[in-house]
Amino acid sequence: MTTWWRNYSLLAICWGLPFYFIMVALHSFAPVQIAFGRLLIGAFVLWLVLVITRTSLPTNKIVYGHLFIQAMLLNSIPGVLFASAEQHVSSIMAGIFNGMTPLFALLATLTLFREQAPTAAQKLGLALGFVGVLIVLGVWQGIGESSWQGFTLLLIAISGYGISFPYSRRYIIPHGVAPTAMAAIQVSFGAIQLVPFMLITPLPTSVSRDSALGILALGLISTGLAYILHFRLLQTAGAIISSTVAYWTPLVAGIAGTVLLSESLSWQEPVGAVVIVFGLLIAQERLKLSRG
């Protein structure tokens, strides 16, 4: 039990801090450079683990094709989009949007990968979740053009996250690929996909120590270590409990943003985040509303 809670807490921190690291790295690096550096370092960590544990690689070539697509959905494209979005919105807002990933995963499962008709609980939960999004945005106050750019980039990014989960469940997991091998190949593909864009992106004229450490932390902590903790948590606590880590990442991002970056926190952001989580709990039938 102690190991379970330790891995759970550490994973919540690892997945909640990248928005702070990204904001720090943006002081010196372009979004594509941040995403590439993160994936390159993360891939190195995962391949090191792969070699130490002597984990075998998949032999089916079809799996590599699916992992290439998965890398676009989960790593390369969202990595650039999140960094680009944080040029327009706070790290707190980025963390809250990231916490909506389960909501978009459910939406993708019920639409693009539809296997059954949505239940009443799922419909209610999704509706409540999107009401929470509107509250977070504070749409009644009006939103500036710059913020809209950030929100749009975040929505596209988490849409990729959401699609990646049912995509993996349908096309990758049935092949029985070892989780560590799947992560190492996927993250490596993500870095490779960004190489052409790195070649046309000007190098920074100067690099601050904090920005360099930000990218290093993104790769080591929020990518390499996070994947390892995620797989350990799956083994010790199961998929249901592991998935609830996403509920805590906005809280970690909010604390990091306010304490470390002195970002302002509007009342509607935590309130909207709570409504989103409440909607997710209902949609996933972890919180059942009594009848009558």
Side-chain angles (χ1 to χ4, degrees):
M1 180 65 71
T2 302
T3 302
W4 178 86
W5 276 106
R6 183 172 64 247
N7 289 339
Y8 186 94
S9 302
L10 287 174
L11 184 58
I13 294 172
C14 288
W15 279 350
L17 285 178
F19 314 102
Y20 161 71
F21 295 143
I22 289 172
M23 193 65 78
V24 172
L26 280 170
H27 293 159
S28 299
F29 297 99
V32 68
Q33 293 167 336
I34 295 173
F36 176 77
R38 172 183 186 172
L39 294 173
L40 186 64
I41 296 170
F44 174 80
V45 173
L46 291 168
W47 280 105
L48 185 61
V49 172
L50 205 65
V51 171
I52 293 174
T53 57
R54 297 181 179 180
T55 303
S56 59
L57 298 176
T59 56
N60 191 333
K61 294 181 180 179
I62 295 178
V63 174
Y64 287 88
H66 288 307
L67 286 174
F68 188 87
I69 296 174
Q70 185 78 337
M72 289 192 292
L73 294 171
L74 200 58
N75 300 112
S76 59
I77 296 177
V80 175
L81 292 178
F82 264 101
S84 298
E86 288 196 42
Q87 294 178 318
H88 306 284
V89 299
S90 68
S91 67
I92 297 174
M93 185 66 72
I96 292 174
F97 267 74
N98 183 76
M100 293 190 292
T101 296
L103 189 71
F104 277 74
L106 177 59
L107 185 62
T109 300
L110 295 175
T111 54
L112 301 178
F113 298 85
R114 187 169 181 175
E115 296 176 356
Q116 60 182 21
T119 65
Q122 289 172 334
K123 292 179 181 179
L124 176 61
L126 284 171
L128 193 58
F130 283 107
V131 168
V133 173
L134 297 178
I135 295 175
V136 168
L137 297 180
V139 292
W140 60 88
Q141 298 175 340
I143 301 174
E145 182 179 351
S146 179
S147 296
W148 267 120
Q149 292 176 12
F151 297 151
T152 302
L153 293 171
L154 290 173
L155 284 172
I156 297 173
I158 63 172
S159 295
Y161 282 173
I163 295 171
S164 73
F165 287 97
Y167 183 89
S168 176
R169 186 165 58 246
R170 176 174 293 187
Y171 297 112
I172 299 175
I173 292 177
H175 291 281
V177 182
T180 309
M182 179 174 67
I185 296 168
Q186 176 185 308
V187 172
S188 299
F189 276 151
I192 292 171
Q193 289 163 0
L194 293 179
V195 169
F197 302 96
M198 283 292 294
L199 296 177
I200 61 175
T201 302
L203 294 174
T205 54
S206 62
V207 177
S208 69
R209 182 189 65 178
D210 289 346
S211 292
L213 290 176
I215 289 185
L216 184 63
L218 277 169
L220 292 177
I221 299 174
S222 301
T223 305
L225 179 60
Y227 269 110
I228 295 170
L229 289 172
H230 176 59
F231 296 139
R232 287 183 178 179
L233 188 61
L234 282 173
Q235 294 174 345
T236 57
I240 294 178
I241 291 178
S242 298
S243 65
T244 63
V245 175
Y247 302 151
W248 296 99
T249 53
L251 176 62
V252 177
I255 294 173
T258 53
V259 175
L260 301 178
L261 295 173
S262 299
E263 294 177 342
S264 60
L265 183 66
S266 302
W267 68 266
Q268 73 265 15
E269 293 174 349
V271 171
V274 170
V275 174
I276 291 169
V277 171
F278 189 64
L280 284 169
L281 292 173
I282 294 175
Q284 296 176 344
E285 298 185 352
R286 293 175 184 173
L287 179 63
K288 296 185 178 181
L289 301 179
S290 59
R291 296 182 178 180

